[in-house]
Amino acid sequence: MPFSNPIALLGLLGIIPLVIIYLIRPQPKEIRFSSIQFLREGEAKRTAVLSRLISDPLFWVQLLAICSLSLAAAGPYTNEQGPASSHLVVVLDGSASMQSSFSPAQNIIRSYLDRYERISIILAKNVPQTVLTEGSPAEARDQLPQFKPAAVSADLSSALTQASILLGSTGGDILLVSDFISWTGDDPDVTRNLIEAGGRVGIVFADSYQGGNNLALTEGWNVPGTGYVNHTALIHNYGPTRTIPITITGPGGKTSQAAAIPQDGDYYLSFTAYPGVNEISLDIEDAISWDNRAYVYVPDQAKRDVLYLGEAGPALKALQSLPNVIVMTSGRYSDFDLIVLARNASADGELNRYIDGGRVIYLPFDLESPQYLPVRVTGKLPGPTRLWVRNFGFAEGLHFDEIGIYSYPDAAARRGATTMVEANGAPILAYWRLGEGIVIYDGLEMDSDFYLRPEYPIFWYQMINWMTGVPDIEDSNRKTGEIIATGEQSTIQTPSISLIASTISLDEVGIYRFQGRTVAANMYNPTESSLLRSRDFEQGEFLGVVRNTIVQRDLSPWVIALAALAIILELAIMRWRRET
């Protein structure tokens, strides 16, 4: 017989002191009568121990009570086939469009709760979250008002798959409550068919769609300038023609204006955003509030001082065209944020001291291979050849495979160096850290057509910003639904709460701060904002069948009843003997 708490069987050791008590208990005095003396002489004699134990029924009653209580505490049970307890997994759509129909969705769920013994709830967002596991209907009813939608799209298919995992092999029912306006991932209807094919799960799609009129900020673009950003926002009207008040606040002050936008019309709003947090607000009340606000965070665009040493070339022209970059061709090394070494650049001991804590970009022009370079140059190889990207790093979005390479250095990366771009195994673009400093080896400048491409100044802009610690404007302005990995446990200030985590899910519109960084997150999701849906789903039905499984039959109540009977009998014997 299995036990759920076998350690409680140690209570059977209580039998030992019970036996000892009866062995040492004082015996009553015997008085012999002459009339029966000869009658008892022929009886069989028992040992003293057996006589004391067997002759007293109270001993056996107390022994039964101890054994029964110990067994009851151990939790005896049997395994047998039986009907599974009813289990409902609720998948609640937590996407942005549900802000207009979340209350009706909760009412739909409440109507199902009392039909089941166990309730689990999954909040379907960009990453589904299990918020209740096998709770009671009362627990589900209490927690339901705490759930809120987020400014993201929901992966309904992944949420259904997660629900089927919660049901396990015994099966059960899944209730998906959604407005079915949009979703990410696979088609939820296809996923429903796959799950139901096993015959142990029934899935119902409950429609909470309410519709409504909405006006939304659906996209934004940033064009960096010198100490500012030109921002353009797109506003779309999904309802009837209306005039809306617009407020822009930020480091540049506060301005207000009104815009008349026709039905299904667009309005482009442009303004200058200065370093810091800038906010656009549509001062209206409509179906979704998150898309009525947008934030633009402009990193501090402090001027960077760059020292260019050597012959003038395309790199110098690219540097001179960059905003917030002041380029000099002479001066004291310690006065500059970064040094670029080109052809015929003079090197001295002061440069070696600067490299230990400074930032250097080396443009190869011959076969020299100073020790501070992240690569060791041994020769020159003929082209043409194609470039292969091993690590985009700061050069994300550039098309290196389209660059024409006519010849390139025959080099090998030193230990500790990071190769970003290579040609036939030879590093062309690489960097490493020396102490507190950074040295970049830029072999793209040696013999290629890179300087003729429109991406060339962008490459220099991103490289300068990365080396001097200026965050990219696009990296500081994200869309909700994205996930940022911080690399370690960090304190994160979201628009609503502060938490400690190693990843950030951008599910709110607003400003996030962590590790000294600031990120603005905006909804910019026309599909969610439109409140329009392109298809309807069949409701489906639950199986309505009895599902069998291996169930545990608890025997503890029967053992407890036996213990209670033994205790009652013990009290009756003691009362009969007048011992109480």
Side-chain angles (χ1 to χ4, degrees):
M1 177 187 300
F3 297 92
S4 58
N5 184 29
I7 196 171
L9 294 175
L10 292 175
L12 294 175
L13 296 176
I15 298 173
I16 297 175
L18 177 67
V19 172
I20 294 175
I21 289 173
Y22 274 86
L23 290 178
I24 66 176
R25 187 174 64 175
Q27 297 300 306
K29 183 179 180 180
E30 294 185 2
I31 299 176
R32 297 187 177 185
F33 294 89
S34 59
S35 60
I36 62 172
Q37 180 176 3
F38 296 104
L39 295 176
R40 297 181 59 90
E41 288 180 354
E43 293 180 354
K45 302 294 184 180
R46 295 190 182 96
T47 65
V49 174
L50 289 177
S51 177
R52 292 174 187 175
L53 293 182
I54 296 176
S55 62
D56 194 342
L58 189 59
F59 167 78
W60 298 106
V61 172
Q62 291 173 337
L63 179 64
L64 177 63
I66 292 175
C67 294
S68 300
L69 290 174
S70 298
L71 289 174
Y77 65 89
T78 60
N79 291 322
E80 58 187 64
Q81 284 282 342
S85 60
S86 56
H87 188 187
L88 173 68
V89 180
V90 177
V91 177
L92 176 57
D93 186 350
S95 63
S97 61
M98 286 289 290
Q99 191 176 31
S100 65
S101 59
F102 207 67
S103 181
Q106 291 173 316
N107 290 334
I108 292 174
I109 295 172
R110 290 187 181 97
S111 66
Y112 284 87
L113 296 181
D114 291 330
R115 308 178 192 179
Y116 295 84
E117 299 175 40
R118 295 174 294 154
I119 305 293
S120 298
I121 301 177
I122 296 174
L123 189 59
K125 299 196 293 186
N126 55 324
V127 178
Q129 299 176 352
T130 301
V131 293
L132 178 63
T133 303
E134 297 192 22
S136 66
E139 289 176 313
R141 190 174 290 104
D142 291 340
Q143 293 192 25
L144 199 56
Q146 303 175 18
F147 307 140
K148 305 294 181 184
V152 297
S153 291
D155 189 346
L156 300 180
S157 177
S158 293
L160 288 173
T161 302
Q162 191 166 317
S164 68
I165 294 174
L166 286 179
L167 289 175
S169 60
T170 60
D173 293 331
I174 299 175
L175 175 67
L176 170 59
V177 185
S178 172
D179 57 12
F180 299 105
I181 287 177
S182 71
W183 56 84
T184 59
D186 296 332
D187 188 322
D189 201 31
V190 173
T191 303
R192 171 168 65 174
N193 294 334
L194 291 173
I195 295 174
E196 289 184 332
R200 304 187 69 83
V201 177
I203 303 177
V204 166
F205 285 4
D207 189 358
S208 65
Y209 179 71
Q210 297 292 306
N213 296 321
N214 196 43
L215 197 142
L217 288 152
T218 59
E219 193 54 85
W221 299 271
N222 296 306
V223 179
T226 304
Y228 62 89
V229 167
N230 287 321
H231 181 81
T232 300
L234 173 60
I235 305 172
H236 188 86
N237 185 8
Y238 295 99
T241 299
R242 61 193 303 183
T243 299
I244 59 167
I246 305 172
T247 302
I248 302 172
T249 57
K254 180 177 180 179
T255 61
S256 299
Q257 65 182 81
I261 307 178
Q263 181 177 356
D264 201 32
D266 291 326
Y267 180 80
Y268 289 88
L269 173 68
S270 297
F271 69 97
T272 301
Y274 293 96
V277 177
N278 303 262
E279 180 183 358
I280 308 170
S281 176
L282 308 182
D283 301 324
I284 57 173
E285 291 186 4
D286 55 9
I288 302 177
S289 62
W290 293 307
D291 53 19
N292 294 336
R293 293 177 293 120
Y295 295 85
V296 181
Y297 177 70
V298 181
D300 185 15
Q301 300 289 320
K303 294 185 181 298
R304 276 71 52 81
D305 295 314
V306 176
L307 177 62
Y308 184 94
L309 299 177
E311 295 181 5
L316 178 59
K317 293 185 179 297
L319 285 168
Q320 292 171 335
S321 69
L322 301 181
N324 303 312
V325 175
I326 299 175
V327 183
M328 304 291 290
T329 56
S330 63
R332 189 171 57 183
Y333 294 169
S334 59
D335 294 337
F336 295 90
D337 300 305
L338 186 147
I339 295 177
V340 178
L341 299 177
R343 180 183 295 273
N344 295 329
S346 58
D348 52 26
E350 185 181 354
L351 176 63
N352 292 329
R353 290 188 293 272
Y354 173 85
I355 289 174
D356 186 56
R359 293 159 176 80
V360 174
I361 300 175
Y362 184 86
L363 310 181
F365 45 86
D366 52 28
L367 300 183
E368 291 187 5
S369 183
Q371 290 296 317
Y372 57 76
L373 291 184
V375 301
R376 181 182 296 105
V377 181
T378 57
K380 186 176 181 180
L381 298 174
T385 188
R386 290 177 61 86
L387 298 176
W388 185 68
V389 179
R390 294 183 59 182
N391 181 1
F392 271 108
F394 59 80
E396 186 73 37
L398 300 183
H399 299 90
F400 290 104
D401 57 334
E402 299 178 0
I403 298 175
I405 301 295
Y406 308 122
S407 64
Y408 57 98
D410 184 8
R414 300 184 193 270
R415 180 177 298 179
T418 298
T419 299
M420 296 176 60
V421 181
E422 65 180 27
N424 296 324
I428 303 298
L429 181 63
Y431 70 90
W432 69 354
R433 299 180 184 274
L434 290 178
E436 297 296 324
I438 302 176
V439 179
I440 291 182
Y441 174 81
D442 180 11
L444 297 170
E445 311 286 338
M446 185 172 181
D447 189 12
S448 72
D449 64 358
F450 189 27
Y451 69 95
L452 298 176
R453 302 184 61 79
E455 298 167 309
Y456 186 68
I458 298 175
F459 167 77
W460 275 95
Y461 177 73
Q462 294 177 346
M463 182 163 57
I464 295 297
N465 285 346
W466 180 76
M467 292 194 73
T468 55
V470 177
D472 181 68
I473 184 68
E474 298 302 326
D475 191 51
S476 299
N477 293 272
R478 305 289 193 96
K479 292 183 179 181
T480 55
E482 296 183 27
I483 296 176
I484 300 175
T486 63
E488 59 183 357
Q489 292 285 325
S490 305
T491 299
I492 302 164
Q493 183 63 53
T494 74
S496 60
I497 62 172
S498 179
L499 54 88
I500 297 177
S502 58
T503 58
I504 309 171
S505 178
L506 304 180
D507 57 4
E508 298 179 76
V509 172
I511 300 298
Y512 295 76
R513 290 185 169 89
F514 57 96
Q515 296 179 338
R517 295 177 55 189
T518 300
V519 172
N522 299 304
M523 187 167 145
Y524 291 160
N525 192 330
T527 307
E528 292 287 334
S529 296
S530 69
L531 295 178
L532 301 174
R533 61 182 184 183
S534 58
R535 59 183 288 195
D536 294 320
F537 291 93
E538 293 184 5
Q539 177 177 329
E541 60 182 1
F542 296 137
L543 290 181
V545 298
V546 177
R547 292 173 291 274
N548 290 327
T549 186
I550 300 297
V551 297
Q552 290 184 359
R553 296 298 182 190
D554 188 9
L555 302 179
S556 297
W558 297 100
V559 182
I560 292 174
L562 181 60
L565 181 62
I567 293 173
I568 293 173
L569 182 59
E570 177 186 7
L571 294 175
I573 294 175
M574 294 176 68
R575 184 175 181 81
W576 176 70
R577 291 180 175 179
R578 301 175 184 264
E579 296 181 8
T580 60

